[in-house]
């Protein structure tokens, strides 16, 4: 009888151990399955190759020389941009960017001080929400030139009514009584450093 009871006890322990092992394996399997079916991360949104206002890297530039008025200079402008002439000013535009060229006579060479004292006050009354003027002397291939950098609001788009915050670079070139203002503008966040350098460096007296 003692042997039978011992045998029964061994069988009971074996069964309990098997049940525990089975439960443990089932739990482990559930955890493993849960890990393998975790949801995948969302696909990142595509990056824009040409954000609004950016001039394409493959933009072609062509020489421009005025046909009327003072024509003693040339400057490269983006090919294919719309052109508007008004008096001594020529404007090339495309989407949100523009290149404005104005030739005039001047008795003296512009300086950092003269631009601060005369041009900045004029623009503050002409440019909507004019701000952050910075005047400095820089060097381009044509030689030393006065640069006025500032910001302002664009005109309201006639179709969408949208207004864009623009950044401006206005270069003042001078030689022998002639002054040429070269103004480059585009949205504040556009990366147009290289295109604007290409245009401003291309200016040459003739």
């Amino acid at each position: 009888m003692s042997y039978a009871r011992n045998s029964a006890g061994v069988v009971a322990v074996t069964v309990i151990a098997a049940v525990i092992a089975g439960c443990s394996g089932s739990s482990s399997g559930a955890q493993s399955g849960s890990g393998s079916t975790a949801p995948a991360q969302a696909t990142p949104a595509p990056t824009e190759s040409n954000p609004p206002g950016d001039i394409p890297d493959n933009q072609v530039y062509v020489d421009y020389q005025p046909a009327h008025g003072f024509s003693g200079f040339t400057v490269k402008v983006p090919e294919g941009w719309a052109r508007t002439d008004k008096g001594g000013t020529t404007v090339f535009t495309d989407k949100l960017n523009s290149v404005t060229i104005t030739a005039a006579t001047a008795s003296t060479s512009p300086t950092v001080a003269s631009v601060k004292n005369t041009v900045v006050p004029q623009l503050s009354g002409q440019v909507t929400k004019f701000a952050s003027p910075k005047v400095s002397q820089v060097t381009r291939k044509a030689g030393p030139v006065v640069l006025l950098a500032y910001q302002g609001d664009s005109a309201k788009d006639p179709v969408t009514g949208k207004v864009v915050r623009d950044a401006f670079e206005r270069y003042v070139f001078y030689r022998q009584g002639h002054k040429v203002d070269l103004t480059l503008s585009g949205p504040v966040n556009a990366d147009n450093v290289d295109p604007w350098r290409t245009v401003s460096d291309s200016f040459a007296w003739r």
Side-chain angles (χ1 to χ4, degrees), residues 136-195:
S136 61
Q137 181 171 297
V138 298
T139 301
R140 290 296 183 262
K141 291 183 178 180
V145 58
V146 178
L147 167 62
L148 167 58
Y150 60 95
Q151 293 183 9
D153 284 356
S154 70
K156 184 181 294 186
D157 186 286
V159 178
T160 65
K162 185 177 181 179
V163 175
V164 177
R165 189 64 176 169
D166 283 337
F168 296 80
E169 292 183 2
R170 178 168 174 158
Y171 296 85
V172 187
F173 297 89
Y174 176 86
R175 190 178 76 165
Q176 299 176 354
H178 294 283
K179 178 173 70 78
V180 178
D181 291 331
L182 173 64
T183 305
L184 315 171
S185 68
V188 168
N189 292 324
D191 182 13
N192 288 333
V193 174
D194 290 339

Side-chain angles (χ1 to χ4, degrees), residues 109-124 130 133-137 145-150 170-173 179 181:
S109 175
T111 64
V112 170
S114 69
V115 171
K116 284 183 178 179
N117 296 332
T118 59
V119 179
V120 170
Q122 289 173 1
L123 291 178
S124 66
F130 177 85
K134 181 180 179 182
V135 186
S136 61
Q137 181 171 297
V145 58
V146 178
L147 167 62
L148 167 58
Y150 60 95
R170 178 168 174 158
Y171 296 85
V172 187
F173 297 89
K179 178 173 70 78
D181 291 331

Side-chain angles (χ1 to χ4, degrees), residues 40-118:
Q41 294 183 348
T43 303
T47 302
E48 291 184 283
S49 59
N50 290 309
D54 275 14
I55 298 174
D57 293 337
N58 61 352
Q59 174 66 56
V60 176
Y61 299 84
V62 294
D63 288 333
Y64 164 75
Q65 184 172 17
H68 305 285
F70 177 66
S71 59
F73 68 93
T74 60
V75 62
K76 289 187 179 296
V77 297
E79 185 179 44
W81 285 22
R83 173 178 168 177
T84 303
D85 293 294
K86 185 177 181 180
T89 298
T90 299
V91 183
F92 295 89
T93 57
D94 180 70
K95 300 181 179 68
L96 302 177
N97 298 294
S98 68
V99 176
T100 303
I101 305 162
T102 302
T105 58
S107 58
T108 59
S109 175
T111 64
V112 170
S114 69
V115 171
K116 284 183 178 179
N117 296 332
T118 59

